């Protein structure tokens, strides 16, 4: 399928329809292992000949739409972007919010059957609830490599295990590295060199992170170098959880083995004290590198409130500042975040940020029956709250015990048709 | 020759003894990443084969360090310096790369002025390092002149020789003192010399060591010397998202910013009662607001006046004083916000002159390009030539209320630099390309110009942790190739 992608990209550049194609490319990284590691990383292509470096496989985890809001990219007249269904959701929101012009963008949509991630089953968490394995908006569509013999294209089913043995060893040498958690990396570092070992190499210390267990079980039961040394106990099952290394907090460990919505449920079941302690522990690790914000396609404020120092809204050198930053960011994304999961993937400290955004998405969906990113044509969520009409999206029951519709709020703060 | 050992069990017994007198810091799991943390029992220690996800840098240059507190009393502002509460510390399990990184920090924070905060932390710390049994996947320390069994900056080095035993190497007199005090936890053997023992996994390390260097830092430097402008920078930086992951997790990156943060809301509005703290926090050249926040930090220090101009004036005055210090002063100074900008340009010019004077920096071509380019050259020039100027800058800061401590602190190279840029008060590097270039230039050129070594220890963290897979080794390899192509 990469070939088709390359052809299309070449055509676009050849015919001068676009001046830049942003897609996924394959890189070879030198490591201290025998063979170089093949990784997937974003590529910017402006010459037709370079189109051959484009690639599409299930290690293309990045949400490239984040580059659309960069001024270097905006300077181009028209560009093409390679995007999976989940990435197109972000594009929809950007169009809704008038950040990019649809006409200046050629979307090369990818039919996707799930990308690798850090769940125990090997897919990214978002994949299990994905409804857009074929993007809802595209100009060119590239089909996926068929995962199943039936040839049916669909997202992985809940709990479905990613089949590593098949082609992982070819492509996945850590291609999804990039997150400090290393969990992506761990995935299927299969036996590319044929030796049958070296699975789980991905994580920086192998022992702790992510889904070594998945890869080990999937492909190489053999001598798992790192896991031996990092006392990762056999096939890394213990990864990240308290069982093999002592003192991790139980909650976090359980979370790691859950699918996304289960994790949100679990957060809900925590008492408020538990939740507070949980987040305090998480955010005390934050180093304020802002990788979460900078990778986010929807964090496009030219000057982030976290960067302002006169007046300074958010402390820069304290836990309370970390808390403020993440909570404010989550609120800014309510009704907008499409849960592409990039913030969590890139966090070098392994903070489970998508728990926040997921929860916000759940609330927005429950209260307002709104899911962001499904259509570029409708008004954005925050621009569409109506307080006057009987059929207000803010139902009496659903918002602050029905008190919302009383009093002055109603009379013209939101969507008042010009009256004040 | 006496060979000394310690067993894991002895360490287990030793730790409680240490805990009574020291803060003991060791590699632990923190969430799902490995980092250095203060421990309260032996069981917390995570014995790793290679370096942690997060370096121990935070124990020498904390992500947030209180410099002083200020409180408003009527019309007066009272400053309180924090009591030096740093207990003596032992950091256990530091890797050769992370220990070597202390050399970089030492140069910056102690060579051209003594940074009191840094030296306080550095001096009361005993580093018990551990040689690497095997190289980590992303390691490239040998390419930057460090080896997995190097003991530089350690006080004691442990080498795993299997069967839960470590060879003990006393590196410094501090280490010897420690040993003599706790010698009953160690075993000694007079017969065998240390070389008779085979460190665990030495084979892998040997293979790693034998490997050709991936690149030659001298070649990198040569190319960087003459290629400030090159299409390569735009190519490589295109996918950079401008976060601080690489710099914050780098054991040698040391840029910082100052920020005033209120800790207590005013109780009595008329008489103030504002209370706050000035902190030194990590900053990153990758951030698009890198130098800008420094400036606003300065502005917030002097309050609303800065907006009107006086505050900025004072601050820019600092810049001109710096210039005067170098004999380049044109006294242009400043007084208003607009002048701050003008001052910035004058400053660039002055720098260019300075650069010419010291003979450092890039050619006239780059200098001619206004703004950021001229400035980057200027940075090198400034660093070469204006140690005294930096002091001046710091002095001024002390004058506005930082206290003597701040004065000395800012004498350091980075402080001088941050200060100078703050004086100018706007972002000089407007594109990610420029910011990315700055990171590479700083590590492999400017730092070499100044301190005759690269500011990289090959720990590999920036490679592993970059959100979009930018690989420093790939960058340097490409530069290496470019040099031979040109």
């Amino acid at each position: 399928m990469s070939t088709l992608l390359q052809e299309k990209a070449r055509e676009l550049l050849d015919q001068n329809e676009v001046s830049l194609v942003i897609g996924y490319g394959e890189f070879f990284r030198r490591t201290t292992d025998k063979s170089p590691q093949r990784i997937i990383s974003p590529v910017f292509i402006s010459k037709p000949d370079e189109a051959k470096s484009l690639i599409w496989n299930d290690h293309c985890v990045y949400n490239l739409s984040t580059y659309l809001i960069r001024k270097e990219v905006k300077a181009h007249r028209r560009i093409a972007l390679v995007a999976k269904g989940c990435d197109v959701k972000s594009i929809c929101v950007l169009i809704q919010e008038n950040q990019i012009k649809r006409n200046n963008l050629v979307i090369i949509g990818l039919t996707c059957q799930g990308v690798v991630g850090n769940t125990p089953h090997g897919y990214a968490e978002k994949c299990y609830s994905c409804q857009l394995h074929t993007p809802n908006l595209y100009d060119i569509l590239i089909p996926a490599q068929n995962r199943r013999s039936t040839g049916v294209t669909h997202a992985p089913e809940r709990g479905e295990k990613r089949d590593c043995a098949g082609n992982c060893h070819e492509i996945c040498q850590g291609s999804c590295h990039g997150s400090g958690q290393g969990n992506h990396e761990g995935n299927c570092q299969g036996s590319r060199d044929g030796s049958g070992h070296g699975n789980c190499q991905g994580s920086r210390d192998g022992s702790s992170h992510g889904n070594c267990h998945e890869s080990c079980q999937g492909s190489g039961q053999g001598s798992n170098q790192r896991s031996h040394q990092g006392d990762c106990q056999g096939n890394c099952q213990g990864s990240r959880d308290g069982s093999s290394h002592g003192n991790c907090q139980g909650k976090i460990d359980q979370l790691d083995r859950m699918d996304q919505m289960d994790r949100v449920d679990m957060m809900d079941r925590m008492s408020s004290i538990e939740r507070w302690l949980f987040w305090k522990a998480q955010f005390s690790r934050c180093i304020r590198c802002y990788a979460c914000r900078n990778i986010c396609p929807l964090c496009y404020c030219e000057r982030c409130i976290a960067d302002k120092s006169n007046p300074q809204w958010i402390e820069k050198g304290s836990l309370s500042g970390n808390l403020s930053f993440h909570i404010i960011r989550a609120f800014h994304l309510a009704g907008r975040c499409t849960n592409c999961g990039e913030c969590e993937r890139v966090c070098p400290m392994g903070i489970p940020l998508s728990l926040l955004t997921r929860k916000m998405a759940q609330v927005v969906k429950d209260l307002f029956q709104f899911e962001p990113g499904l259509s570029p044509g409708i008004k954005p969520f925050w621009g569409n709250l109506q307080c006057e009409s009987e059929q207000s999206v803010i139902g009496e029951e659903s918002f602050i015990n029905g008190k919302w519709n009383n009093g002055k709020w109603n009379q013209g703060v939101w969507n008042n048709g010009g009256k004040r | 020759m006496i060979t000394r050992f310690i067993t894991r069990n002895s360490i287990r017994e030793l730790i409680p003894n240490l805990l009574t007198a020291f803060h003991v810091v060791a590699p632990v799991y923190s969430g799902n990443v490995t980092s250095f943390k203060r421990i309260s029992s032996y069981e917390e220690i995570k014995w790793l084969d290679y370096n942690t996800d997060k370096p121990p840098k935070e124990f020498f240059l904390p992500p947030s360090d209180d410099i002083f507190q200020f409180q408003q009393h009527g019309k007066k502002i009272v400053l309180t310096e924090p009591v030096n509460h740093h207990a003596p510390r032992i950091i256990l399990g530091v890797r050769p790369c992370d220990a070597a990184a202390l050399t970089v920090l030492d140069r910056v924070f102690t060579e051209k002025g003594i940074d009191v905060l840094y030296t306080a932390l550095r001096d009361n710390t005993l580093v018990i390092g551990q040689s690497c049994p095997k190289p980590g996947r992303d390691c490239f320390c040998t390419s930057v002149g460090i080896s997995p069994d190097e003991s530089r900056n350690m006080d004691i080095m442990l080498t795993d020789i299997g069967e839960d035993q470590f060879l003990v190497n006393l590196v410094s007199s501090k280490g010897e003192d420690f040993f003599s005090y706790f010698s009953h936890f160690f075993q000694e053997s007079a017969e065998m010399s240390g070389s008779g023992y085979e460190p665990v996994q030495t084979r892998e390390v040997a293979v790693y060591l034998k490997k050709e260097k991936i690149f030659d830092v001298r070649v990198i430097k040569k190319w960087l010397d003459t290629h400030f402008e090159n299409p390569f920078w735009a190519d490589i930086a295109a996918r950079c998202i401008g976060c601080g992951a690489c710099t914050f997790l780098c054991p040698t990156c040391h840029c910082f910013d100052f920020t005033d943060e209120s800790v207590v809301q005013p109780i009595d509005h008329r008489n103030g009662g504002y209370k706050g703290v000035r902190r030194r926090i990590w900053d990153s050249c990758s951030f698009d607001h890198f130098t800008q926040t420094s400036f606003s930090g300065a502005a917030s220090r002097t309050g609303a006046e800065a907006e009107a101009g006086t505050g900025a004036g004072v601050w820019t005055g600092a810049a001109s004083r710096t210039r005067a210090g170098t004999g380049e002063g044109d006294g242009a100074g400043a007084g208003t916000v607009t002048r701050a900008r003008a001052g910035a340009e004058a400053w660039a010019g002055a720098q260019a002159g300075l650069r010419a004077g010291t003979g450092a920096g890039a050619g006239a071509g780059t200098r001619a390009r206004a703004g950021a380019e001229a400035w980057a050259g200027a940075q090198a020039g400034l660093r070469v030539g204006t140690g005294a100027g930096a002091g001046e800058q710091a002095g001024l800061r002390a004058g506005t209320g930082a206290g003597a401590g701040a004065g000395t602190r800012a004498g350091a190279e980075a402080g001088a630099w941050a200060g100078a840029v703050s004086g100018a008060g706007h972002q000089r590097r407007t594109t990610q390309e420029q910011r990315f270039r700055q990171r590479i230039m700083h590590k492999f050129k400017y730092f070499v110009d100044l301190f005759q070594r690269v500011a990289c220890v090959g720990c590999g963290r920036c490679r592993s942790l970059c959100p979009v897979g930018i690989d420093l080794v790939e960058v340097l390899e490409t530069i290496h190739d470019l040099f031979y192509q040109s």
Side-chain angles (χ1 to χ4, degrees):
Chain A
M1 293 308 115
S2 298
T3 330
L4 181 60
L5 173 65
Q6 290 161 11
E7 276 169 27
K8 294 290 181 192
R10 171 185 268 279
E11 261 175 46
L12 286 170
L13 288 164
D14 253 343
Q15 293 161 8
N16 211 12
E17 281 201 41
V18 298
S19 52
L20 176 72
V21 178
I22 305 177
Y24 305 99
E26 192 176 40
F27 291 78
F28 288 86
R29 266 159 70 99
R30 268 177 189 272
T31 67
T32 51
D33 298 333
K34 266 183 260 168
S35 49
Q37 181 195 19
R38 301 168 72 186
I39 64 157
I40 305 292
S41 183
V43 285
F44 287 60
I45 290 167
S46 47
K47 297 191 191 82
D49 287 345
E50 293 167 349
K52 59 180 180 294
S53 63
L54 284 172
I55 199 165
W56 163 225
N57 61 41
D58 58 359
H59 283 255
C60 298
V61 291
Y62 308 98
N63 180 354
L64 301 176
S65 62
T66 191
Y67 291 114
L68 292 176
I69 52 175
R70 303 183 69 85
K71 63 179 175 209
E72 290 89 346
V73 173
K74 279 188 165 178
H76 285 266
R77 175 180 52 85
R78 191 156 189 253
I79 72 148
L81 187 88
V82 177
K84 309 180 290 290
C86 45
D87 310 335
V88 169
K89 281 173 148 184
S90 312
I91 297 177
C92 282
V93 178
L94 288 173
I95 293 172
Q96 278 175 4
E97 297 181 359
N98 220 5
Q99 294 304 309
I100 52 173
K101 292 205 163 56
R102 178 71 184 90
N103 291 340
N104 297 352
L105 177 68
V106 175
I107 301 173
I108 306 180
L110 302 171
T111 303
C112 174
Q113 304 177 74
V115 290
V116 298
N118 63 353
T119 58
H121 299 301
Y123 285 107
E125 285 174 301
K126 60 182 173 184
C127 298
Y128 291 104
S129 53
C130 175
Q131 300 147 344
L132 287 175
H133 52 271
T134 301
N136 53 347
L137 188 70
Y138 58 83
D139 301 296
I140 296 165
L141 187 68
I142 310 290
Q145 281 167 324
N146 283 324
R147 177 160 41 91
R148 296 178 189 80
S149 51
T150 56
V152 179
T153 307
H154 56 83
E157 279 145 28
R158 202 170 166 81
E160 182 182 325
K161 228 171 157 33
R162 185 165 170 279
D163 183 8
C164 247
N167 53 1
C168 280
H169 55 288
E170 286 170 15
I171 47 171
C172 78
Q173 300 253 343
S175 43
C176 331
H177 76 289
S179 102
Q181 308 153 46
N183 33 34
H184 308 280
E185 315 180 62
N187 243 325
C188 27
Q189 283 273 6
S191 42
R192 190 165 165 272
D193 54 3
S195 68
H197 69 266
N199 327 294
C200 311
Q201 302 227 14
S203 52
R204 283 185 60 84
D205 65 352
S207 59
S208 61
H209 304 329
N211 45 7
C212 302
H213 44 293
E214 121 90 350
S215 55
C216 294
Q217 289 167 354
S219 48
Q221 300 283 0
S223 64
N224 185 327
Q225 297 177 352
R226 295 224 174 180
S227 65
H228 285 305
Q229 304 193 0
D231 69 14
C232 184
Q233 308 213 339
N235 54 6
C236 313
Q237 267 299 11
S239 67
R240 271 214 254 180
D241 60 26
S243 63
S244 55
H245 345 83
N247 55 2
C248 294
Q249 301 118 305
K251 294 280 182 194
I252 301 175
D253 312 330
Q254 287 180 37
L255 283 169
D256 277 340
R257 276 179 267 119
M258 287 182 173
D259 284 343
Q260 186 76 270
M261 287 324 283
D262 293 342
R263 295 166 68 188
V264 173
D265 286 349
M266 179 167 161
M267 295 301 292
D268 284 345
R269 285 198 303 275
M270 284 183 185
S271 70
S272 58
I273 293 286
E274 272 181 315
R275 260 203 302 274
W276 169 240
L277 293 175
F278 173 84
W279 284 116
K280 224 163 92 168
Q282 296 297 331
F283 291 140
S284 66
R285 297 212 312 274
C286 174
I287 54 170
R288 299 292 279 274
C289 70
Y290 300 118
C292 49
R293 179 192 72 189
N294 288 21
I295 198 80
C296 179
L298 302 181
C299 266
Y300 52 68
C301 289
E302 257 181 43
R303 185 117 187 247
C304 176
I305 189 171
D307 293 340
K308 289 184 183 165
S309 50
N310 195 15
Q312 186 176 50
W313 298 100
I314 300 176
E315 281 182 49
K316 293 180 175 177
S318 68
L319 172 62
S320 93
N322 295 354
L323 275 163
S324 314
F325 168 66
H326 286 288
I327 291 170
I328 288 174
R329 184 171 171 274
F331 272 89
H332 273 187
L333 288 167
R336 304 172 61 231
C337 172
T338 60
N339 275 299
C340 69
E342 287 286 88
C343 48
E344 183 167 332
R345 179 183 69 80
V346 302
C347 176
M349 293 290 105
I351 301 171
L353 289 167
S354 62
L355 281 176
L356 286 178
T357 50
R358 272 273 161 170
K359 181 65 190 169
M360 296 304 298
Q362 194 192 50
V363 169
V364 169
K365 193 175 178 189
D366 289 353
L367 292 184
F368 307 108
Q369 293 80 50
F370 185 89
E371 254 187 276
L374 295 182
S375 162
I378 61 166
K379 284 173 89 175
F381 170 69
W382 288 106
N384 204 28
L385 293 175
Q386 295 172 22
C387 304
E388 301 158 324
S389 93
E390 294 289 316
Q391 286 82 33
S392 163
V393 283
I394 300 179
E396 300 249 340
E397 297 295 309
S398 57
F399 215 88
I400 317 186
N401 301 327
K403 286 174 189 159
W404 187 257
N405 269 349
N406 302 327
K408 288 184 181 171
W409 254 134
N410 260 347
Q411 297 163 10
V413 178
W414 286 343
N415 228 4
N416 58 1
K419 292 178 298 222
R420 194 86 202 154
Chain B
M1 186 190 162
I2 298 171
T3 311
R4 303 184 175 91
F5 306 96
I6 191 163
T7 62
R8 235 175 260 253
N9 270 339
S10 305
I11 297 177
R12 190 192 301 273
E13 288 158 21
L14 175 61
I15 296 287
N17 288 280
L18 299 181
L19 286 168
T20 55
F22 302 96
H23 285 183
V24 181
V25 174
V28 297
Y29 270 105
S30 172
N32 44 15
V33 296
T34 49
S35 63
F36 284 84
K37 282 269 148 65
R38 190 180 158 195
I39 57 165
S40 52
S41 76
Y42 171 84
E43 277 64 36
E44 289 172 45
I45 301 175
K46 176 69 196 163
W47 296 96
L48 299 163
D49 284 338
Y50 20 78
N51 54 23
T52 47
D53 291 323
K54 195 180 174 193
K57 173 176 82 173
E58 58 186 303
F59 291 93
F60 302 97
L61 182 64
S64 167
D65 208 356
D66 290 3
I67 298 170
F68 58 81
Q69 291 194 341
F70 49 84
Q71 181 157 22
Q72 190 180 356
H73 288 290
K75 287 182 180 174
K76 274 190 194 159
I77 292 177
V78 179
L79 304 182
T80 343
E81 285 209 36
V83 188
N84 186 347
H85 53 270
H86 301 308
R89 299 179 305 181
I90 293 174
I91 303 191
L92 189 65
V94 175
R95 297 292 157 172
C97 54
D98 291 337
L102 293 176
T103 306
V104 173
L105 300 183
D106 284 349
R107 295 273 164 90
V108 173
F109 291 110
T110 63
E111 198 153 286
K112 291 186 175 167
I114 302 295
D115 182 294
V116 289
L117 296 181
Y118 175 79
T119 44
L121 291 169
R122 184 85 165 86
D123 290 346
N124 73 351
T125 304
L126 180 90
V127 177
I128 303 184
Q130 191 186 350
S131 68
C132 293
K134 59 178 287 190
R137 191 194 55 178
D138 290 323
C139 294
F140 57 100
C141 61
T142 50
S143 296
V144 290
I146 292 160
S147 82
D149 54 359
E150 188 168 313
S151 59
R152 200 194 318 173
N153 292 329
M154 296 178 187
D155 297 304
I156 296 174
M157 183 167 81
L158 305 179
T159 305
D160 195 343
I161 51 169
E163 291 166 8
D164 283 343
Q165 275 206 316
F166 295 95
L167 204 62
V168 177
N169 187 1
L170 304 180
V171 185
S172 71
S173 57
K174 221 170 166 183
E176 277 163 19
D177 290 350
F178 177 87
F179 174 79
S180 58
Y181 196 82
F182 293 103
S183 58
H184 48 291
F185 288 98
F186 295 80
Q187 286 106 52
E188 298 193 28
S189 148
E191 298 98 56
M192 287 185 254
S193 80
S195 57
Y197 289 90
E198 194 73 351
V200 162
Q201 297 286 352
T202 189
R203 222 162 6 103
E204 269 116 334
V205 172
V207 170
Y208 173 59
L209 284 174
K210 253 185 243 159
K211 256 191 194 169
E212 237 178 283
K213 282 184 182 177
I214 306 174
F215 50 80
D216 182 344
V217 286
R218 286 165 303 180
V219 171
I220 305 283
K221 165 82 165 65
K222 274 185 197 157
W223 189 86
L224 292 177
D225 279 343
T226 49
H227 291 82
F228 191 76
E229 296 288 346
N230 196 280
F232 164 73
W233 297 118
D235 283 353
I236 197 77
R239 59 195 148 128
C240 176
I241 56 165
C243 74
C246 51
T247 49
F248 282 4
L249 293 164
C250 172
T252 69
C253 272
H254 48 261
C255 282
F256 53 79
D257 188 11
F258 293 102
T259 173
D260 283 0
E261 308 194 314
S262 70
V263 290
V264 173
Q265 291 300 314
I267 308 151
D268 177 356
H269 282 274
R270 200 201 273 153
N271 293 316
Y274 288 95
K275 194 173 166 187
V277 57
R278 174 164 301 172
R279 290 177 170 137
R280 173 160 78 179
I281 56 170
W282 287 353
D283 202 352
S284 167
C285 57
S286 303
F287 290 156
D288 61 357
H289 56 267
F290 178 43
T291 53
Q292 207 160 26
T293 44
S294 302
F295 172 66
S296 9
S300 71
R301 244 173 268 161
T302 41
E305 286 174 329
E307 294 273 289
T310 39
V314 170
W315 188 240
T316 326
S320 62
R321 274 178 73 187
T322 313
R323 260 183 270 142
T326 65
E328 291 292 332
D330 58 4
T336 67
V337 171
T338 29
R339 258 185 290 152
R341 229 169 183 278
E345 272 136 40
W347 170 250
Q351 283 301 328
L354 170 66
R355 199 153 23 96
T358 58
T366 21
R367 213 182 323 144
R369 274 200 76 185
E373 271 72 30
W375 179 81
Q379 183 191 354
L382 169 70
R383 287 208 198 135
V384 177
T386 63
E392 287 288 310
Q393 179 90 359
L396 180 101
R397 216 183 267 160
T400 55
T408 40
R409 196 176 318 118
E413 174 244 339
W417 177 74
V421 179
S422 303
H426 68 207
Q427 168 61 298
R428 307 295 190 106
R429 303 183 198 104
T430 50
T431 65
Q432 202 58 41
E433 172 194 343
Q434 293 165 340
R435 297 189 278 268
F436 190 89
R437 176 178 60 198
Q438 165 63 21
R439 180 170 149 246
I440 305 295
M441 283 279 184
H442 183 108
K443 287 186 177 305
F444 295 94
K445 172 176 157 48
Y446 305 146
F447 206 84
V448 184
D449 283 338
L450 272 179
F451 298 113
Q452 292 76 50
R453 58 152 300 143
V454 291
C456 171
V457 291
C459 71
R461 290 184 180 95
C462 57
R463 311 177 65 195
S464 316
L465 299 163
C466 174
V468 290
I470 297 175
D471 178 2
L472 183 64
V473 169
E474 185 200 320
V475 173
L476 297 175
E477 266 186 295
T478 316
I479 291 179
H480 201 95
D481 294 347
L482 285 172
F483 177 81
Y484 285 110
Q485 281 163 25
S486 62

